[in-house]
Amino acid sequence: MASLPPSTEDRTPGEAGDTQSSDGLQAGLKNRHLSMIAIGGVIGAGLFVGSSSGIAAAGPAILLSYALVGAMVVLVMRMLGEMAAAQPSSGSFSAYADRALGRWAGFSIGWLYWFFWVVVLAVEATAGAQILEGWVPAVPQWAWALIVMVVLTATNLGSVASYGEFEFWFAGIKVVAIAAFVVIGLLAVFGLLPGSDNPGAGFAHLTDSGGFLPKGPGAILTGVLMVVFSFMGSEIVTLAAGESSDPQRAVAKATNSVIWRIAVFYLGSILVVLTLLPWNDPSITKDGSYVAALNSIGIPHAGQVMNVIVLTAVLSCLNSGLYTASRMAFSLGRRGDAPKAFARTNSRGVPQAAILSSVLFGFVAVFFNYQWPDTVFAFLLNSSGAVALFVWLVICFTQLRMRGIILREAPEKLVVRMWLFPYLTWATIAMISFILVYMLTDDAGREQVLLSLLVAAIVVGISLVRESRQKKAAAGVPGQVPGQASGALQDAGPTGPVEVEATDRT
């Protein structure tokens, strides 16, 4: 029978802290690192630069769009938290899908997730380079993109603690900035901010320009499509927890705090924008929602202030994206679903080959972005566009099966429980499925869903062919369990490999 990894209390002396584990990864992330990774994980550059288009499309009703998607993310994170607290793993939901749904599922969603973040590396490197070129035009944009990628690659190659430290400060700046924006904005909304240029209309702007639903109820769903992808990244903390000294506590804390994080940083900040300005104010589209809001208050150099914050968000996303892609590649290597080199770590407990391979594809994607932005890179972007929804859907189906496995093998590990199981799990599956179907009615969304489904079908096809070949090969070896030859039936966190018997698979 398979066993779940021991909690911190079950470890032998010397295992906690910055120690090298039996899988080679180092438990070098401190509680403050994980806390800030969890908080900063829901604040991406998309919140700052993408919210203006959502406001233009839905008006004040965009708040309901953010609330709907936020509720969905809270439920998905609760499910993932239940599994991650019981079995911390560098592969997170990919490793759980491998166990609960079958090898094909873990292979497919792991590689799709890796592909998603590799493309994100190119997007964020280009966005950061555009800001830096504006400050120092003597350095070309491609050079800035290269510099940013090289610096953050070096950070990730150093040690997991150096990644955690960089992310602590990057995320810290984002958190302080958005919290200050909400507090200062609300004071201005109610006319309590000394020297503010804003008339302080209270909540009047939510209804004074065509009502709360100026574009009709259907605009709420249009807004959902525009904001759903800005929430991607919440799950990073469950991968990072595998390299902490107390993963169970870290996951439980991050899962329990996701509600207020989304409420404050997303709903709170968008509410401030919509109450400081009418939703159809031209400056929201022209300058960006947050810059327009700061200008209405009278904050000097609002554009440059936001550029600094957006650059920090970009660097944070790059840093975490490279970390996430490399750890997923590491986990795939541990399970025999990627080259064995990906599963090797150096003396600092860093999966060097997995990091370098991920950043190499990131560099290639950046090159495509500059060389063929409207063809090759557009294909990469659209074909990874719906992967976030695929990941969340797989998490839901995995949790339906993993609950029974955990209860059967180690019920004491079930310290985080999904609410109203299984009803809310099925409700979340229905909501994600509805969004995917609704995207097919949207011109931009249709291309993303179809291309993402095409890539997903190719990856699933490859996994099924590999699995079939491995079974045939294993059938010729007496006593060989199919898949074991390549190490497919094990994954690991810092507590060591977790052996999974073939009989546990469904």
Side-chain angles (χ1 to χ4, degrees):
M1 182 63 69
S3 60
L4 298 175
S7 64
T8 305
E9 291 78 16
D10 297 323
R11 294 182 185 180
T12 55
E15 279 189 315
D18 293 357
T19 59
Q20 189 133 322
S21 61
S22 57
D23 69 350
L25 290 178
Q26 200 169 54
L29 291 177
K30 298 178 172 60
N31 285 333
R32 65 182 179 88
H33 293 152
L34 283 166
S35 296
M36 201 55 76
I37 289 169
I39 295 172
V42 295
I43 310 173
L47 173 63
F48 298 109
V49 300
S51 55
S52 56
S53 57
I55 292 172
I62 194 67
L63 285 169
L64 296 180
S65 303
Y66 274 105
L68 282 171
V69 178
M72 185 173 70
V73 171
V74 167
L75 294 175
V76 170
M77 279 298 295
R78 187 73 183 183
M79 293 178 230
L80 184 55
E82 176 180 296
M83 297 181 288
Q87 184 177 341
S89 167
S90 58
S92 188
F93 51 85
S94 172
Y96 309 141
D98 185 291
R99 173 104 190 262
L101 304 179
R103 181 119 182 250
W104 66 271
F107 176 97
S108 302
I109 205 63
W111 277 114
L112 285 172
Y113 192 68
W114 178 87
F115 173 58
F116 172 86
W117 280 110
V118 167
V119 175
V120 166
L121 290 180
V123 174
E124 299 296 340
T126 303
Q130 288 173 345
I131 295 174
L132 290 166
E133 187 190 29
W135 294 344
V136 187
V139 180
Q141 191 178 120
W142 67 266
W144 277 121
L146 181 64
I147 291 169
V148 166
M149 291 279 279
V150 168
V151 169
L152 292 180
T153 300
T155 300
N156 276 265
L157 285 173
S159 68
V160 69
S162 63
Y163 155 73
E165 201 62 33
F166 267 73
E167 190 57 25
F168 175 81
W169 292 105
F170 285 153
I173 292 172
K174 289 190 296 183
V175 169
V176 169
I178 203 88
F181 174 81
V182 170
V183 172
I184 293 171
L186 286 176
L187 289 174
V189 164
F190 295 106
L192 302 175
L193 186 67
S196 172
D197 295 339
N198 193 277
F203 295 117
H205 288 322
L206 292 177
T207 55
D208 63 8
S209 298
F212 187 73
L213 294 166
K215 299 291 186 76
I220 298 173
L221 291 176
T222 302
V224 165
L225 300 188
M226 302 183 80
V227 306
V228 66
F229 302 107
S230 65
F231 283 84
M232 192 64 171
S234 304
E235 69 290 333
I236 291 175
V237 69
T238 63
L239 281 84
E243 292 179 78
S244 72
S245 58
D246 193 353
Q248 192 176 74
R249 178 175 176 271
V251 168
K253 185 177 179 182
T255 304
N256 291 332
S257 65
V258 71
I259 298 175
W260 71 260
R261 287 185 276 131
I262 289 175
V264 172
F265 298 128
Y266 277 86
L267 292 174
S269 63
I270 298 298
L271 176 65
V272 166
V273 172
L274 290 167
T275 48
L276 285 174
L277 293 164
W279 70 270
N280 55 358
D281 190 299
S283 64
I284 292 180
T285 303
K286 179 185 175 184
D287 302 324
S289 53
Y290 288 83
V291 172
L294 291 173
N295 282 332
S296 77
I297 297 174
I299 302 292
H301 310 295
Q304 289 303 319
V305 170
M306 281 310 302
N307 273 340
V308 172
I309 297 170
V310 170
L311 179 62
T312 303
V314 164
L315 294 176
S316 171
C317 191
L318 262 172
N319 194 38
S320 287
L322 182 52
Y323 171 84
T324 305
S326 65
R327 274 15 178 221
M328 186 57 72
F330 170 82
S331 177
L332 288 166
R334 289 281 297 174
R335 286 177 276 144
D337 290 336
K340 291 181 180 179
F342 286 8
R344 298 193 187 107
T345 57
N346 60 20
S347 58
R348 296 182 300 277
V350 172
Q352 188 169 299
I355 291 174
L356 293 176
S357 299
S358 300
V359 82
L360 175 62
F361 278 88
F363 277 126
V364 171
V366 169
F367 172 75
F368 287 155
N369 194 11
Y370 285 111
Q371 192 68 26
W372 301 290
D374 300 322
T375 53
V376 178
F377 188 73
F379 171 80
L380 291 177
L381 202 60
N382 286 321
S383 60
S384 65
V387 167
L389 293 170
F390 294 168
V391 168
W392 294 342
L393 203 56
V394 167
I395 289 172
C396 294
F397 281 112
T398 300
Q399 191 261 340
L400 284 172
R401 307 297 295 272
M402 279 297 290
R403 167 67 75 91
I405 294 173
I406 297 170
L407 284 175
R408 185 174 70 247
E409 297 176 3
E412 73 280 0
K413 303 282 187 184
L414 201 62
V415 294
V416 176
R417 287 176 177 263
M418 176 60 185
W419 305 298
L420 296 177
F421 177 82
Y423 307 109
L424 278 183
T425 300
W426 281 112
T428 309
I429 289 171
M431 185 175 181
I432 297 171
S433 302
F434 175 79
I435 291 174
L436 284 168
V437 172
Y438 188 77
M439 285 178 73
L440 293 173
T441 67
D442 178 74
D443 291 338
R446 185 183 307 114
E447 186 175 10
Q448 287 189 7
V449 171
L450 293 177
L451 287 178
S452 296
L453 282 172
L454 173 63
V455 172
I458 292 172
V459 176
V460 171
I462 292 171
S463 70
L464 292 175
V465 170
R466 287 180 75 257
E467 191 169 357
S468 175
R469 287 181 177 177
Q470 287 171 351
K471 285 181 178 178
K472 288 179 180 178
V477 182
Q480 175 68 56
V481 178
Q484 269 190 343
S486 60
L489 302 185
Q490 62 171 265
D491 188 30
T495 53
V498 182
E499 296 293 342
V500 182
E501 292 183 7
T503 52
D504 286 333
R505 294 178 179 276
T506 53

